[in-house]
Structures are given as structure tokens and as C-alpha cells.
Amino acid sequence: MVNGGYGDEKLNYSFHAGLKMETHAGIGVTTLVSETETTFDTFDGLHYSWTKESSDETVVTTTATEQVSTGTGDAYVGSQGDVFIGYSTNLLLGTCRKVGFFRDNESAPFLLKDDVALSLGDSVKTYFMYSTYEIENVMMPKWKDTRNSYLTQHFDTEAEARAMVNNGSEVVYATWLKEDDPDYGQNDTYVQVTPASWETDGKQHAAQDEVMWC
């Protein structure tokens, strides 16, 4: 007589991600609405099974399971439905106020005061899933639009752009290319113009290139 048993257990979860966009365009009360919706479904977890046929033998199998699927629309047919999955670390770079003991030179006394410093953080982790369709038709155009939105000053020549004087309080970006130029927004096609007041206010300033880092 053989005593035994078996088990089959699963611990799973489902995750739904994606985006839904609505674009409105029109005049007055007449509006044209176009809607784009993309959704990912991922099924993840553990599958644990075991069998026992005698007091001396036990077989245990543990399997990590993950399933990812896209929508069933025409936009995901063929290579457009390929999904890219990965992890990334978001770098947070910017200016901050630093409090500490500083002195103006080696012979001067230390004084407690605040100063401007650069801050860098890398603690934000991201798990991403994008299809080829979503990368090419949604994400890349949006990245391009965001980058181009920083180019607010337009000139006919490079010399005019480089000679610009910024009398405002914010950093601006000047370009000598037209928006329909294929190189618009590329490196060496614009200049970063810091406020003129930065040169005389006696403070330490730092400005990252928003167009390049977009």
C-alpha cells in the first residue's frame, strides 16, 4: 500500500496599464474629439506544485509565471504589437538650497549661511511596458513636442540668436531654425540664454539644458 498526496497552488496578480488620450479641436461649440486608448494586461505570480508518493520521496516544483498581452485592435497586428519591457532609474537633477558653514577665503572665519547647490537623486525606479505602436505613435511624438516647447525664441540667423539679451528672470532657448526643419531642436541648433541679471546679482546660478535633457 502506498500513501501519498499532491498539491497545486498558485499565487497570482493581474496588472492593467496603459494610457487613454482624448484630443479636442474646434471653434465655439463645435468640437471634434479623437480618442486613442492603449492597454496592457500583465499576469504575474508563482505556480507551486508538489507530489508525495512515500514517506521518503517528495517532488516540489516552483515556477515563476508572467504573461503580458496587448489590445486586440488593428494597431497591434504584427510587429506593432511587440512589447518592450524593462526597468529604469529616474535621475532627478536640479538646484537646491544648502545650509552649512562656509567662508569666503582661507583666512576668513566660518559663517553659518545658505548657498545654492546642485542636487542629484536616483531613488525613483520605474517598471515600463510599451508596444512598438505606442512608442512610435504616442511616446516619441510627445517627447518631441515637449522638447520643442522650450524653444520659445526664434531668429532668422544664428548670429541674432547668440546676440540675444535675456532681460527676464527665467532661462530661455533661442533657435535660428524653422519648426518644419528636420534638424529643429537638435544639438547645436539653438542656444541657452540665461537672464542678464545673473551676471551682476552676486549669486551662484546653475541651469541645465532642458532641451537636451528632455
Side-chain angles (χ1 to χ4, degrees):
M1 180 178 180
V2 178
N3 295 323
Y6 70 93
D8 194 337
E9 303 172 7
K10 291 183 179 181
L11 175 62
N12 297 311
Y13 67 87
S14 297
F15 175 72
H16 307 278
L19 56 86
K20 183 174 182 179
M21 299 177 56
E22 290 188 359
T23 303
H24 297 254
I27 301 176
V29 296
T30 303
T31 304
L32 173 64
V33 180
S34 61
E35 181 177 304
T36 301
E37 182 174 0
T38 57
T39 304
F40 290 109
D41 298 320
T42 182
F43 182 78
D44 205 353
L46 292 175
H47 181 190
Y48 174 82
S49 63
W50 60 272
T51 60
K52 185 177 180 65
E53 296 183 354
S54 70
S55 59
D56 299 325
E57 180 180 359
T58 302
V59 178
V60 177
T61 303
T62 302
T63 305
T65 61
E66 182 173 8
Q67 300 175 5
V68 178
S69 63
T70 62
T72 59
D74 295 340
Y76 301 104
V77 175
S79 62
Q80 291 291 295
D82 292 346
V83 179
F84 296 84
I85 304 173
Y87 293 89
S88 66
T89 298
N90 298 312
L91 298 179
L92 307 178
L93 177 64
T95 58
C96 66
R97 304 297 296 180
K98 179 175 62 175
V99 177
F101 291 94
F102 305 95
R103 59 181 181 180
D104 297 330
N105 54 65
E106 294 184 357
S107 60
F110 283 97
L111 298 175
L112 178 62
K113 60 180 182 179
D114 68 323
D115 202 353
V116 177
L118 287 176
S119 176
L120 176 63
D122 61 352
S123 60
V124 181
K125 309 293 183 181
T126 301
Y127 176 57
F128 62 85
M129 294 183 295
Y130 292 109
S131 70
T132 300
Y133 173 83
E134 194 169 21
I135 292 174
E136 294 180 350
N137 296 280
V138 179
M139 300 307 299
M140 293 181 68
K142 288 300 180 183
W143 289 330
K144 184 177 180 180
D145 290 344
T146 301
R147 180 201 64 184
N148 292 349
S149 68
Y150 288 107
L151 300 169
T152 59
Q153 309 299 315
H154 297 84
F155 295 88
D156 293 330
T157 65
E158 180 178 351
E160 291 176 329
R162 294 189 180 278
M164 175 188 172
V165 176
N166 182 2
N167 293 316
S169 59
E170 302 291 337
V171 176
V172 298
Y173 299 87
T175 182
W176 48 93
L177 297 183
K178 304 299 182 182
E179 290 191 35
D180 58 356
D181 192 299
D183 293 328
Y184 187 79
Q186 299 296 321
N187 291 339
D188 300 323
T189 65
Y190 64 90
V191 290
Q192 181 189 67
V193 186
T194 57
S197 59
W198 284 14
E199 300 178 5
T200 58
D201 62 8
K203 299 179 181 180
Q204 181 182 356
H205 298 277
Q208 67 178 8
D209 191 333
E210 300 287 357
V211 177
M212 181 180 67
W213 283 99
C214 178

